[in-house]
Amino acid sequence: MSDPGAVRTVLADLRAEGEELDLLVGGLSDGRWALATPAAGWTVAHQIAHLAWTDRAALLAVTDPEAFAVEVEKAAAAPERFVDDGAEEGAALPPAELLARWREGRERLGEALLAVPPGGRFPWYGPPMSAPAMATARLMETWAHGQDVADALGVVRQPTARLRHVAWIGHRARAYAYLVRGEQPPAEPVRVELVAPDGELWTFGPEEAVLRVSGTALDFCLLVTQRVHRDDTALRAEGDGAEHWLRIAQAFAGPAGAGRAPKGEAR
């Protein structure tokens, strides 16, 4: 079985993140599932449908790599549409059915990730994943899409220590953000120093790095999940390479995201 220190801790945080979002949508009337979110063309239902769809894809990757390979072929055939198509399909379901699918899917995925042997890796839309990395990626997406839902509902969420997972994958995915845009990832490392919700300092990257990024963990996590425009953060970048990275940062797999417009501009 997977190392409990590497998997169970992340899965516990993933479960907590899912439960927090579940509290936001579990009691919504059918009409409120149709509320528009900050993601253009996506309602609350689309956000939950996307999470359910991705959980299903992750479960296939872990338990049936051959079946997942078919999904990768579908994505390659329609790289600009496959994410939206999956969300559209789920959003068309009655809200109660969609909610039940999401709940069941995230439970099954958690069980499957616990069963991955130590050191096991499986395919994904980006680089191959380990069980802890997949759990971290699912937490990142749950938090990010949960932010869109919260914004649609007018709810202000309090940041938690679970943001450390999002920040970690945001820093870890730096090279991918360049590659997905056809750019050569820089060899020079970057140091990231973030103030956590409780005031602790979270650090990623070598202390002696010339390129540096600093600010709040919330700003950084909103940026790398493309929930905020760079200009609407108080993040500080030292070095041109650091600033360029912040302009293209992307913590999620798949095509380069368009990001969000600066505040004051129409979506």
Side-chain angles (χ1 to χ4, degrees):
M1 306 296 285
S2 299
D3 175 12
V7 180
R8 291 185 183 275
T9 298
V10 186
L11 284 175
D13 283 346
L14 172 59
R15 178 183 291 273
E17 199 65 46
E19 289 173 349
E20 182 176 296
L21 177 53
D22 202 311
L23 287 175
L24 287 182
V25 301
L28 291 180
S29 64
D30 286 5
R32 300 200 78 192
W33 282 81
L35 287 174
T37 69
W42 279 31
T43 64
V44 170
H46 285 83
Q47 300 287 349
I48 300 303
H50 173 70
L51 291 175
W53 175 87
T54 314
D55 284 344
R56 175 185 172 275
L59 183 63
L60 276 180
V62 174
T63 62
D64 192 345
E66 291 185 0
F68 178 71
V70 175
E71 297 301 311
V72 173
E73 291 177 1
K74 292 179 183 177
E80 303 302 324
R81 284 294 313 167
F82 80 101
V83 172
D84 285 335
D85 289 346
E88 287 283 357
E89 181 180 350
L93 296 171
E97 182 177 346
L98 172 57
L99 183 61
R101 285 193 182 187
W102 176 50
R103 287 170 172 169
E104 179 186 6
R106 66 185 203 252
E107 185 69 26
R108 292 181 62 193
L109 177 59
E111 293 171 354
L113 289 173
L114 278 176
V116 174
R121 300 180 74 82
F122 36 86
W124 192 235
Y125 295 104
M129 302 283 268
S130 65
M134 176 59 80
T136 303
R138 298 310 305 131
L139 190 154
M140 176 271 295
E141 282 228 331
T142 303
W143 179 81
H145 290 282
Q147 184 63 46
D148 288 340
V149 171
D151 287 343
L153 299 175
V155 174
V156 177
R157 302 191 301 174
Q158 294 302 312
T160 73
R162 296 191 296 271
L163 286 182
R164 188 181 187 106
H165 301 295
V166 183
W168 177 86
I169 204 170
H171 177 264
R172 180 81 170 180
R174 178 180 173 229
Y176 181 78
Y178 287 85
L179 291 170
V180 77
R181 288 164 176 79
E183 299 181 27
Q184 181 64 33
E188 191 171 9
V190 63
R191 171 77 164 184
V192 176
E193 298 183 346
L194 305 173
V195 179
D198 65 356
E200 181 185 351
L201 184 66
W202 295 342
T203 62
F204 307 91
E207 187 174 1
E208 68 277 8
V210 174
L211 300 181
R212 307 179 79 83
V213 169
S214 59
T216 68
L218 180 59
D219 265 3
F220 183 76
C221 291
L222 288 170
L223 185 65
V224 298
T225 57
Q226 297 188 356
R227 263 54 192 179
V228 69
H229 191 273
R230 163 71 178 114
D231 294 347
D232 294 322
T233 74
L235 294 170
R236 179 182 178 186
E238 299 178 41
D240 291 342
E243 180 60 37
H244 179 60
W245 172 46
L246 292 184
R247 296 284 171 181
I248 66 170
Q250 175 175 326
F252 50 88
R260 298 285 161 85
K263 289 180 180 178
E265 291 187 11
R267 283 190 281 165

